[in-house]
């Protein structure tokens, strides 16, 4: 890594990587996961929402602002702020603490194996929405309470009088009037790990969804 980045100090490498990542996002190298913004806003209309992410806090905050969803997210927590990252539950437990909601009364909306394991270890109801072709999703089904193919399927808008679906039943089992929805998705963006690997790539490269 020191050879790649031309600097021997890991802290300086991290700073340069984050600076590069933020510049890339501000120059347009970011696009939402399909249905992600709408699903988040439906959740925020129904109860408090937090983001629990492995990205640095400054990156999470910047992306929320760029996507114009900062006002919809009550709290956001980086794994840098807790003792351990996913698959351990620390980041989810801290997000629940900041929202003032018990983990057992919260949903963890995830797309990865590490995230699903973290949500389950925190005692949350895990809703898995795997990304097509993403290696990080492999094996996550074993830790999910509900598996969806799209964020459009999340019934986070007020329910209509109809026969409950399987996801309705799973969410009803949480038994709270206002459920905390804590997204384990990186705010819809390319992951920090990918940016670290591609630090040397030109800023003009094609924007991609997060890993």
């Amino acid at each position: 890594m020191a050879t790649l980045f031309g600097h021997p100090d890991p802290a300086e490498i991290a700073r340069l990587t984050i600076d590069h990542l933020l510049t890339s996002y501000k120059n347009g190298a970011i696009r939402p996961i399909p249905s992600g913004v709408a699903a988040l806003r439906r959740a925020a209309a129904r109860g408090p929402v937090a983001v629990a992410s492995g990205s640095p806090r400054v990156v999470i905050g910047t992306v929320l602002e760029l996507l114009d969803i900062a006002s919809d997210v009550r709290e956001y927590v980086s794994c840098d702020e807790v003792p351990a990252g996913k698959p351990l539950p620390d980041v989810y437990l801290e997000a629940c603490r900041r929202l003032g909601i018990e983990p057992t009364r919260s949903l963890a909306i995830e797309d990865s194996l590490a995230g699903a394991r973290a949500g389950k270890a925190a005692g949350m109801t895990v809703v898995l929405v795997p990304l097509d072709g993403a290696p990080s999703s492999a094996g996550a089904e074993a830790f999910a309470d509900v598996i969806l193919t799209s964020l459009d399927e999340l019934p986070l808008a007020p329910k209509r009088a109809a026969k409950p679906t399987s996801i309705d039943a799973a969410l009803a089992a949480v038994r709270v009037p206002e459920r905390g929805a804590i997204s384990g998705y990186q705010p819809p963006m390319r992951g920090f790990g990918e940016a670290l690997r591609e630090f040397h790539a030109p800023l003009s490269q094609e924007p991609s969804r997060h890993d």
Side-chain angles (χ1 to χ4, degrees):
M1 293 299 292
T3 301
L4 175 63
F5 292 109
H7 202 288
D9 183 4
E12 181 64 10
I13 290 173
R15 185 192 68 77
L16 290 171
T17 303
I18 292 171
D19 287 349
H20 171 77
L21 189 61
L22 294 176
T23 299
S24 297
Y25 288 161
K26 291 173 182 178
N27 286 341
I30 180 174
R31 63 189 182 195
I33 293 170
S35 310
V37 170
L40 186 146
R41 287 179 172 153
R42 289 198 304 273
R46 188 166 181 176
V49 172
V51 171
S53 174
S55 292
R57 184 171 177 81
V58 65
V59 174
I60 303 170
T62 298
V63 171
L64 294 177
E65 292 289 345
L66 290 173
L67 294 178
D68 194 28
I69 53 177
S71 62
D72 299 302
V73 175
R74 185 175 298 183
E75 296 285 349
Y76 59 93
V77 185
S78 166
C79 286
D80 291 343
E81 301 176 76
V82 295
K86 302 173 185 178
L88 296 180
D90 303 40
V91 69
Y92 271 127
L93 293 174
E94 177 62 14
C96 289
R97 186 192 69 78
R98 293 185 189 183
L99 289 180
I101 295 178
E102 289 295 321
T104 54
R105 297 165 65 88
S106 303
L107 305 180
I109 303 169
E110 267 294 348
D111 65 342
S112 71
L113 171 59
R117 289 177 61 189
K120 182 61 66 176
M124 304 170 73
T125 297
V126 177
V127 179
L128 178 69
V129 192
L131 293 177
D132 290 340
S136 60
S137 297
E141 295 87 351
F143 298 89
D145 297 291
V146 179
I147 302 172
L148 306 178
T149 59
S150 168
L151 287 167
D152 284 328
E153 297 179 61
L154 283 170
L156 294 172
K159 296 176 186 173
R160 295 169 293 181
K163 182 178 179 180
T165 63
S166 59
I167 179 68
D168 287 330
L171 299 187
V174 183
R175 300 182 184 279
V176 291
E178 283 193 344
R179 301 178 181 88
I182 301 179
S183 172
Y185 276 71
Q186 309 275 356
M189 60 184 180
R190 188 177 65 192
F192 180 61
E194 181 181 341
L196 184 65
R197 294 191 297 271
E198 299 182 0
F199 178 82
H200 59 286
L203 293 181
S204 60
Q205 70 180 48
E206 178 69 16
S208 65
R209 280 163 33 182
H210 85 91
D211 54 12

